[in-house]
mmCIF file of all heavy atoms in Angstrom:
data_model
loop_
_atom_site.group_PDB
_atom_site.id
_atom_site.type_symbol
_atom_site.label_atom_id
_atom_site.label_comp_id
_atom_site.label_asym_id
_atom_site.label_seq_id
_atom_site.Cartn_x
_atom_site.Cartn_y
_atom_site.Cartn_z
ATOM 1 N N LEU E 432 191.790 100.590 -16.706
ATOM 2 C CA LEU E 432 191.066 101.830 -16.997
ATOM 3 C C LEU E 432 191.885 103.042 -16.539
ATOM 4 O O LEU E 432 191.935 104.065 -17.231
ATOM 5 C CB LEU E 432 189.691 101.818 -16.315
ATOM 6 C CG LEU E 432 188.637 100.927 -16.967
ATOM 7 C CD1 LEU E 432 187.422 100.762 -16.055
ATOM 8 C CD2 LEU E 432 188.217 101.467 -18.317
ATOM 9 N N GLY E 433 192.539 102.925 -15.398
ATOM 10 C CA GLY E 433 193.385 104.004 -14.894
ATOM 11 C C GLY E 433 194.531 104.336 -15.846
ATOM 12 O O GLY E 433 194.910 105.497 -16.000
ATOM 13 N N LYS E 434 195.087 103.328 -16.492
ATOM 14 C CA LYS E 434 196.164 103.561 -17.467
ATOM 15 C C LYS E 434 195.688 104.405 -18.642
ATOM 16 O O LYS E 434 196.478 105.045 -19.315
ATOM 17 C CB LYS E 434 196.697 102.228 -17.999
ATOM 18 C CG LYS E 434 197.540 101.462 -17.028
ATOM 19 C CD LYS E 434 198.007 100.170 -17.663
ATOM 20 C CE LYS E 434 198.744 99.294 -16.685
ATOM 21 N NZ LYS E 434 199.129 98.008 -17.300
ATOM 22 N N ARG E 435 194.398 104.386 -18.890
ATOM 23 C CA ARG E 435 193.812 105.159 -19.996
ATOM 24 C C ARG E 435 193.158 106.443 -19.506
ATOM 25 O O ARG E 435 192.257 106.977 -20.148
ATOM 26 C CB ARG E 435 192.788 104.302 -20.746
ATOM 27 C CG ARG E 435 193.363 103.056 -21.334
ATOM 28 C CD ARG E 435 194.338 103.375 -22.440
ATOM 29 N NE ARG E 435 194.710 102.141 -23.114
ATOM 30 C CZ ARG E 435 195.948 101.819 -23.413
ATOM 31 N NH1 ARG E 435 196.929 102.632 -23.100
ATOM 32 N NH2 ARG E 435 196.213 100.691 -24.020
ATOM 33 N N GLN E 436 193.576 106.904 -18.343
ATOM 34 C CA GLN E 436 193.143 108.192 -17.778
ATOM 35 C C GLN E 436 191.717 108.203 -17.257
ATOM 36 O O GLN E 436 191.136 109.274 -17.058
ATOM 37 C CB GLN E 436 193.322 109.337 -18.787
ATOM 38 C CG GLN E 436 194.625 109.366 -19.554
ATOM 39 C CD GLN E 436 195.852 109.285 -18.682
ATOM 40 O OE1 GLN E 436 195.942 110.019 -17.726
ATOM 41 N NE2 GLN E 436 196.773 108.396 -18.991
ATOM 42 N N TRP E 437 191.109 107.049 -17.036
ATOM 43 C CA TRP E 437 189.788 106.997 -16.424
ATOM 44 C C TRP E 437 189.987 106.956 -14.921
ATOM 45 O O TRP E 437 190.639 106.053 -14.399
ATOM 46 C CB TRP E 437 189.007 105.764 -16.878
ATOM 47 C CG TRP E 437 188.606 105.805 -18.309
ATOM 48 C CD1 TRP E 437 189.206 105.150 -19.347
ATOM 49 C CD2 TRP E 437 187.526 106.532 -18.888
ATOM 50 N NE1 TRP E 437 188.558 105.432 -20.522
ATOM 51 C CE2 TRP E 437 187.525 106.278 -20.262
ATOM 52 C CE3 TRP E 437 186.551 107.381 -18.357
ATOM 53 C CZ2 TRP E 437 186.587 106.831 -21.137
ATOM 54 C CZ3 TRP E 437 185.617 107.929 -19.217
ATOM 55 C CH2 TRP E 437 185.639 107.655 -20.590
ATOM 56 N N ARG E 438 189.418 107.926 -14.221
ATOM 57 C CA ARG E 438 189.519 107.960 -12.759
ATOM 58 C C ARG E 438 188.302 107.244 -12.175
ATOM 59 O O ARG E 438 187.209 107.793 -12.128
ATOM 60 C CB ARG E 438 189.620 109.401 -12.272
ATOM 61 C CG ARG E 438 190.927 110.063 -12.742
ATOM 62 C CD ARG E 438 191.032 111.466 -12.277
ATOM 63 N NE ARG E 438 189.985 112.268 -12.947
ATOM 64 C CZ ARG E 438 189.772 113.545 -12.737
ATOM 65 N NH1 ARG E 438 190.503 114.203 -11.865
ATOM 66 N NH2 ARG E 438 188.826 114.197 -13.380
ATOM 67 N N ILE E 439 188.547 106.036 -11.730
ATOM 68 C CA ILE E 439 187.500 105.144 -11.254
ATOM 69 C C ILE E 439 186.682 105.751 -10.116
ATOM 70 O O ILE E 439 185.482 105.533 -10.019
ATOM 71 C CB ILE E 439 188.114 103.807 -10.783
ATOM 72 C CG1 ILE E 439 188.810 103.106 -11.947
ATOM 73 C CG2 ILE E 439 187.065 102.885 -10.173
ATOM 74 C CD1 ILE E 439 187.914 102.728 -13.076
ATOM 75 N N HIS E 440 187.316 106.512 -9.248
ATOM 76 C CA HIS E 440 186.627 107.050 -8.077
ATOM 77 C C HIS E 440 185.996 108.422 -8.321
ATOM 78 O O HIS E 440 185.527 109.055 -7.392
ATOM 79 C CB HIS E 440 187.590 107.104 -6.878
ATOM 80 C CG HIS E 440 188.140 105.744 -6.554
ATOM 81 N ND1 HIS E 440 187.357 104.739 -6.053
ATOM 82 C CD2 HIS E 440 189.373 105.222 -6.693
ATOM 83 C CE1 HIS E 440 188.087 103.655 -5.881
ATOM 84 N NE2 HIS E 440 189.311 103.925 -6.274
ATOM 85 N N ASN E 441 185.980 108.866 -9.579
ATOM 86 C CA ASN E 441 185.355 110.132 -9.932
ATOM 87 C C ASN E 441 184.042 109.837 -10.661
ATOM 88 O O ASN E 441 184.049 109.448 -11.834
ATOM 89 C CB ASN E 441 186.290 110.958 -10.820
ATOM 90 C CG ASN E 441 185.732 112.315 -11.140
ATOM 91 O OD1 ASN E 441 184.548 112.584 -10.979
ATOM 92 N ND2 ASN E 441 186.591 113.197 -11.630
ATOM 93 N N PRO E 442 182.893 110.005 -10.011
ATOM 94 C CA PRO E 442 181.612 109.651 -10.632
ATOM 95 C C PRO E 442 181.216 110.519 -11.822
ATOM 96 O O PRO E 442 180.236 110.220 -12.491
ATOM 97 C CB PRO E 442 180.605 109.778 -9.489
ATOM 98 C CG PRO E 442 181.258 110.640 -8.473
ATOM 99 C CD PRO E 442 182.743 110.482 -8.639
ATOM 100 N N SER E 443 181.970 111.573 -12.103
ATOM 101 C CA SER E 443 181.687 112.335 -13.317
ATOM 102 C C SER E 443 182.430 111.746 -14.522
ATOM 103 O O SER E 443 182.257 112.211 -15.637
ATOM 104 C CB SER E 443 182.059 113.810 -13.131
ATOM 105 O OG SER E 443 183.451 113.957 -13.020
ATOM 106 N N GLU E 444 183.245 110.724 -14.273
ATOM 107 C CA GLU E 444 183.950 110.023 -15.349
ATOM 108 C C GLU E 444 183.504 108.574 -15.472
ATOM 109 O O GLU E 444 183.293 108.072 -16.565
ATOM 110 C CB GLU E 444 185.469 110.051 -15.114
ATOM 111 C CG GLU E 444 186.088 111.400 -15.309
ATOM 112 C CD GLU E 444 187.591 111.365 -15.178
ATOM 113 O OE1 GLU E 444 188.209 110.305 -15.401
ATOM 114 O OE2 GLU E 444 188.170 112.406 -14.847
ATOM 115 N N VAL E 445 183.438 107.892 -14.319
ATOM 116 C CA VAL E 445 183.121 106.463 -14.299
ATOM 117 C C VAL E 445 182.114 106.201 -13.186
ATOM 118 O O VAL E 445 182.330 106.615 -12.048
ATOM 119 C CB VAL E 445 184.389 105.614 -14.033
ATOM 120 C CG1 VAL E 445 184.048 104.140 -13.986
ATOM 121 C CG2 VAL E 445 185.466 105.889 -15.068
ATOM 122 N N ILE E 446 181.055 105.510 -13.531
ATOM 123 C CA ILE E 446 180.129 105.049 -12.509
ATOM 124 C C ILE E 446 180.329 103.545 -12.377
ATOM 125 O O ILE E 446 180.128 102.802 -13.340
ATOM 126 C CB ILE E 446 178.664 105.369 -12.857
ATOM 127 C CG1 ILE E 446 178.481 106.883 -12.996
ATOM 128 C CG2 ILE E 446 177.729 104.803 -11.793
ATOM 129 C CD1 ILE E 446 177.104 107.296 -13.460
ATOM 130 N N VAL E 447 180.767 103.122 -11.209
ATOM 131 C CA VAL E 447 180.976 101.697 -10.939
ATOM 132 C C VAL E 447 179.659 101.131 -10.448
ATOM 133 O O VAL E 447 178.979 101.725 -9.620
ATOM 134 C CB VAL E 447 182.096 101.510 -9.895
ATOM 135 C CG1 VAL E 447 182.303 100.036 -9.584
ATOM 136 C CG2 VAL E 447 183.398 102.136 -10.383
ATOM 137 N N GLU E 448 179.304 99.970 -10.981
ATOM 138 C CA GLU E 448 178.016 99.342 -10.686
ATOM 139 C C GLU E 448 176.865 100.309 -10.938
ATOM 140 O O GLU E 448 176.099 100.643 -10.049
ATOM 141 C CB GLU E 448 177.981 98.759 -9.275
ATOM 142 C CG GLU E 448 178.884 97.567 -9.133
ATOM 143 C CD GLU E 448 178.621 96.745 -7.888
ATOM 144 O OE1 GLU E 448 177.740 97.102 -7.093
ATOM 145 O OE2 GLU E 448 179.299 95.734 -7.730
ATOM 146 N N PHE E 449 176.772 100.739 -12.182
ATOM 147 C CA PHE E 449 175.716 101.658 -12.605
ATOM 148 C C PHE E 449 174.361 100.960 -12.500
ATOM 149 O O PHE E 449 174.110 99.953 -13.150
ATOM 150 C CB PHE E 449 175.970 102.119 -14.045
ATOM 151 C CG PHE E 449 174.899 102.995 -14.601
ATOM 152 C CD1 PHE E 449 174.694 104.260 -14.090
ATOM 153 C CD2 PHE E 449 174.089 102.556 -15.638
ATOM 154 C CE1 PHE E 449 173.694 105.084 -14.611
ATOM 155 C CE2 PHE E 449 173.099 103.367 -16.161
ATOM 156 C CZ PHE E 449 172.904 104.630 -15.639
ATOM 157 N N GLN E 450 173.509 101.500 -11.656
ATOM 158 C CA GLN E 450 172.202 100.915 -11.404
ATOM 159 C C GLN E 450 171.194 101.413 -12.417
ATOM 160 O O GLN E 450 171.126 102.603 -12.715
ATOM 161 C CB GLN E 450 171.723 101.281 -10.005
ATOM 162 C CG GLN E 450 170.359 100.732 -9.666
ATOM 163 C CD GLN E 450 169.908 101.120 -8.268
ATOM 164 O OE1 GLN E 450 170.694 101.567 -7.456
ATOM 165 N NE2 GLN E 450 168.631 100.953 -8.007
ATOM 166 N N MET E 451 170.427 100.481 -12.952
ATOM 167 C CA MET E 451 169.366 100.852 -13.872
ATOM 168 C C MET E 451 168.157 99.970 -13.623
ATOM 169 O O MET E 451 168.276 98.865 -13.113
ATOM 170 C CB MET E 451 169.838 100.775 -15.317
ATOM 171 C CG MET E 451 170.239 99.404 -15.778
ATOM 172 S SD MET E 451 171.009 99.434 -17.388
ATOM 173 C CE MET E 451 172.703 99.454 -16.877
ATOM 174 N N GLU E 452 167.037 100.498 -13.963
ATOM 175 C CA GLU E 452 165.794 99.752 -13.840
ATOM 176 C C GLU E 452 165.738 98.725 -14.958
ATOM 177 O O GLU E 452 166.143 99.009 -16.085
ATOM 178 C CB GLU E 452 164.638 100.743 -13.988
ATOM 179 C CG GLU E 452 163.302 100.225 -13.588
ATOM 180 C CD GLU E 452 162.265 101.325 -13.683
ATOM 181 O OE1 GLU E 452 162.475 102.402 -13.101
ATOM 182 O OE2 GLU E 452 161.256 101.084 -14.374
ATOM 183 N N LYS E 453 165.270 97.545 -14.657
ATOM 184 C CA LYS E 453 165.109 96.547 -15.707
ATOM 185 C C LYS E 453 164.022 97.030 -16.644
ATOM 186 O O LYS E 453 162.894 97.235 -16.241
ATOM 187 C CB LYS E 453 164.734 95.193 -15.113
ATOM 188 C CG LYS E 453 165.872 94.517 -14.412
ATOM 189 C CD LYS E 453 165.480 93.138 -13.966
ATOM 190 C CE LYS E 453 166.642 92.523 -13.215
ATOM 191 N NZ LYS E 453 166.324 91.185 -12.728
ATOM 192 N N ARG E 454 164.386 97.249 -17.890
ATOM 193 C CA ARG E 454 163.424 97.764 -18.863
ATOM 194 C C ARG E 454 163.217 96.787 -20.004
ATOM 195 O O ARG E 454 162.129 96.356 -20.277
ATOM 196 C CB ARG E 454 163.907 99.085 -19.455
ATOM 197 C CG ARG E 454 163.935 100.212 -18.463
ATOM 198 C CD ARG E 454 164.623 101.406 -19.116
ATOM 199 N NE ARG E 454 164.680 102.509 -18.195
ATOM 200 C CZ ARG E 454 163.839 103.521 -18.210
ATOM 201 N NH1 ARG E 454 162.905 103.583 -19.106
ATOM 202 N NH2 ARG E 454 163.936 104.484 -17.339
ATOM 203 N N LEU E 455 164.300 96.477 -20.698
ATOM 204 C CA LEU E 455 164.215 95.638 -21.888
ATOM 205 C C LEU E 455 164.925 94.313 -21.641
ATOM 206 O O LEU E 455 165.951 94.270 -20.977
ATOM 207 C CB LEU E 455 164.881 96.352 -23.074
ATOM 208 C CG LEU E 455 164.334 97.727 -23.379
ATOM 209 C CD1 LEU E 455 165.187 98.408 -24.435
ATOM 210 C CD2 LEU E 455 162.906 97.628 -23.867
ATOM 211 N N ASN E 456 164.385 93.258 -22.165
ATOM 212 C CA ASN E 456 165.002 91.934 -22.061
ATOM 213 C C ASN E 456 165.307 91.554 -20.620
ATOM 214 O O ASN E 456 166.296 90.889 -20.350
ATOM 215 C CB ASN E 456 166.307 91.888 -22.877
ATOM 216 C CG ASN E 456 166.081 92.248 -24.315
ATOM 217 O OD1 ASN E 456 165.059 91.920 -24.893
ATOM 218 N ND2 ASN E 456 167.038 92.935 -24.912
ATOM 219 N N ALA E 457 164.510 91.980 -19.690
ATOM 220 C CA ALA E 457 164.814 91.779 -18.272
ATOM 221 C C ALA E 457 164.958 90.304 -17.924
ATOM 222 O O ALA E 457 165.823 89.936 -17.147
ATOM 223 C CB ALA E 457 163.726 92.411 -17.406
ATOM 224 N N ARG E 458 164.153 89.451 -18.502
ATOM 225 C CA ARG E 458 164.239 88.035 -18.158
ATOM 226 C C ARG E 458 165.468 87.386 -18.751
ATOM 227 O O ARG E 458 166.079 86.535 -18.144
ATOM 228 C CB ARG E 458 162.994 87.309 -18.640
ATOM 229 C CG ARG E 458 161.778 87.678 -17.840
ATOM 230 C CD ARG E 458 160.617 86.787 -18.205
ATOM 231 N NE ARG E 458 159.433 87.320 -17.542
ATOM 232 C CZ ARG E 458 158.291 87.528 -18.144
ATOM 233 N NH1 ARG E 458 158.143 87.248 -19.411
ATOM 234 N NH2 ARG E 458 157.275 88.017 -17.481
ATOM 235 N N SER E 459 165.835 87.776 -19.953
ATOM 236 C CA SER E 459 166.942 87.094 -20.626
ATOM 237 C C SER E 459 168.302 87.699 -20.312
ATOM 238 O O SER E 459 169.311 87.153 -20.700
ATOM 239 C CB SER E 459 166.723 87.135 -22.147
ATOM 240 O OG SER E 459 166.717 88.469 -22.599
ATOM 241 N N VAL E 460 168.328 88.815 -19.626
ATOM 242 C CA VAL E 460 169.593 89.493 -19.400
ATOM 243 C C VAL E 460 169.836 89.723 -17.909
ATOM 244 O O VAL E 460 170.449 90.691 -17.524
ATOM 245 C CB VAL E 460 169.618 90.842 -20.150
ATOM 246 C CG1 VAL E 460 170.992 91.447 -20.138
ATOM 247 C CG2 VAL E 460 169.178 90.673 -21.581
ATOM 248 N N ALA E 461 169.375 88.853 -17.062
ATOM 249 C CA ALA E 461 169.580 89.039 -15.623
ATOM 250 C C ALA E 461 171.065 89.069 -15.332
ATOM 251 O O ALA E 461 171.787 88.135 -15.637
ATOM 252 C CB ALA E 461 168.906 87.922 -14.842
ATOM 253 N N ALA E 462 171.523 90.168 -14.753
ATOM 254 C CA ALA E 462 172.948 90.371 -14.523
ATOM 255 C C ALA E 462 173.455 89.558 -13.356
ATOM 256 O O ALA E 462 174.502 88.957 -13.421
ATOM 257 C CB ALA E 462 173.220 91.849 -14.277
ATOM 258 N N GLU E 463 172.750 89.579 -12.280
ATOM 259 C CA GLU E 463 173.173 88.925 -11.043
ATOM 260 C C GLU E 463 171.976 88.172 -10.478
ATOM 261 O O GLU E 463 170.847 88.429 -10.858
ATOM 262 C CB GLU E 463 173.642 89.989 -10.034
ATOM 263 C CG GLU E 463 174.790 90.841 -10.519
ATOM 264 C CD GLU E 463 176.081 90.078 -10.706
ATOM 265 O OE1 GLU E 463 176.264 89.029 -10.071
ATOM 266 O OE2 GLU E 463 176.910 90.521 -11.501
ATOM 267 N N PRO E 464 172.204 87.257 -9.557
ATOM 268 C CA PRO E 464 171.054 86.592 -8.944
ATOM 269 C C PRO E 464 170.095 87.612 -8.348
ATOM 270 O O PRO E 464 170.519 88.586 -7.727
ATOM 271 C CB PRO E 464 171.696 85.743 -7.836
ATOM 272 C CG PRO E 464 173.110 85.572 -8.265
ATOM 273 C CD PRO E 464 173.473 86.799 -9.047
ATOM 274 N N GLU E 465 168.800 87.402 -8.558
ATOM 275 C CA GLU E 465 167.810 88.381 -8.102
ATOM 276 C C GLU E 465 167.857 88.605 -6.606
ATOM 277 O O GLU E 465 167.601 89.690 -6.127
ATOM 278 C CB GLU E 465 166.416 87.945 -8.534
ATOM 279 C CG GLU E 465 166.205 88.089 -10.030
ATOM 280 C CD GLU E 465 164.804 87.720 -10.456
ATOM 281 O OE1 GLU E 465 164.026 87.167 -9.646
ATOM 282 O OE2 GLU E 465 164.471 87.981 -11.611
ATOM 283 N N ALA E 466 168.195 87.573 -5.861
ATOM 284 C CA ALA E 466 168.227 87.710 -4.406
ATOM 285 C C ALA E 466 169.274 88.727 -3.963
ATOM 286 O O ALA E 466 169.118 89.401 -2.956
ATOM 287 C CB ALA E 466 168.514 86.363 -3.764
ATOM 288 N N GLU E 467 170.355 88.850 -4.757
ATOM 289 C CA GLU E 467 171.428 89.765 -4.373
ATOM 290 C C GLU E 467 171.053 91.227 -4.580
ATOM 291 O O GLU E 467 171.358 92.082 -3.766
ATOM 292 C CB GLU E 467 172.690 89.428 -5.176
ATOM 293 C CG GLU E 467 173.902 90.206 -4.730
ATOM 294 C CD GLU E 467 175.170 89.740 -5.423
ATOM 295 O OE1 GLU E 467 175.175 88.652 -5.998
ATOM 296 O OE2 GLU E 467 176.150 90.505 -5.376
ATOM 297 N N TYR E 468 170.401 91.557 -5.685
ATOM 298 C CA TYR E 468 170.126 92.955 -5.999
ATOM 299 C C TYR E 468 168.647 93.312 -6.043
ATOM 300 O O TYR E 468 168.286 94.459 -6.098
ATOM 301 C CB TYR E 468 170.744 93.328 -7.352
ATOM 302 C CG TYR E 468 172.233 93.424 -7.324
ATOM 303 C CD1 TYR E 468 173.018 92.663 -8.166
ATOM 304 C CD2 TYR E 468 172.874 94.296 -6.441
ATOM 305 C CE1 TYR E 468 174.390 92.757 -8.133
ATOM 306 C CE2 TYR E 468 174.252 94.389 -6.414
ATOM 307 C CZ TYR E 468 174.992 93.622 -7.266
ATOM 308 O OH TYR E 468 176.345 93.720 -7.246
ATOM 309 N N GLY E 469 167.778 92.345 -6.067
ATOM 310 C CA GLY E 469 166.356 92.642 -6.162
ATOM 311 C C GLY E 469 165.869 92.469 -7.588
ATOM 312 O O GLY E 469 166.657 92.390 -8.515
ATOM 313 N N LYS E 470 164.573 92.425 -7.725
ATOM 314 C CA LYS E 470 163.981 92.108 -9.022
ATOM 315 C C LYS E 470 163.837 93.304 -9.946
ATOM 316 O O LYS E 470 163.710 93.146 -11.143
ATOM 317 C CB LYS E 470 162.610 91.472 -8.808
ATOM 318 C CG LYS E 470 162.685 90.143 -8.103
ATOM 319 C CD LYS E 470 161.309 89.554 -7.931
ATOM 320 C CE LYS E 470 161.420 88.216 -7.209
ATOM 321 N NZ LYS E 470 160.124 87.584 -7.040
ATOM 322 N N GLN E 471 163.853 94.510 -9.441
ATOM 323 C CA GLN E 471 163.566 95.670 -10.264
ATOM 324 C C GLN E 471 164.796 96.362 -10.842
ATOM 325 O O GLN E 471 164.672 97.235 -11.674
ATOM 326 C CB GLN E 471 162.754 96.694 -9.454
ATOM 327 C CG GLN E 471 161.429 96.155 -8.969
ATOM 328 C CD GLN E 471 160.563 95.629 -10.109
ATOM 329 O OE1 GLN E 471 160.431 96.275 -11.147
ATOM 330 N NE2 GLN E 471 159.989 94.455 -9.935
ATOM 331 N N ASN E 472 165.987 96.006 -10.386
ATOM 332 C CA ASN E 472 167.203 96.692 -10.828
ATOM 333 C C ASN E 472 168.222 95.714 -11.373
ATOM 334 O O ASN E 472 168.214 94.537 -11.053
ATOM 335 C CB ASN E 472 167.829 97.461 -9.659
ATOM 336 C CG ASN E 472 166.918 98.547 -9.149
ATOM 337 O OD1 ASN E 472 166.356 99.303 -9.924
ATOM 338 N ND2 ASN E 472 166.750 98.614 -7.854
#
């Protein structure tokens, strides 16, 4: 990403581990084990 001019540490360009509330397809699209991040995000 850095080679393509994306500055990873600049949150106005890239958000690393962008947190979102589970809204759609929450059961079928679980990103990580629930114990690690919680059930709502």
Side-chain angles (χ1 to χ4, degrees):
L432 285 168
K434 287 180 186 177
R435 300 293 189 226
Q436 316 308 311
W437 291 102
R438 295 180 293 178
I439 298 298
H440 302 292
N441 184 344
S443 68
E444 289 185 25
V445 179
I446 300 175
V447 179
E448 291 195 359
F449 176 67
Q450 179 180 345
M451 63 189 96
E452 193 176 307
K453 287 185 182 179
R454 293 172 180 261
L455 304 172
N456 303 324
R458 289 189 188 131
S459 62
V460 190
E463 301 294 336
E465 289 183 350
E467 187 173 344
Y468 288 123
K470 295 181 180 181
Q471 300 304 315
N472 297 314

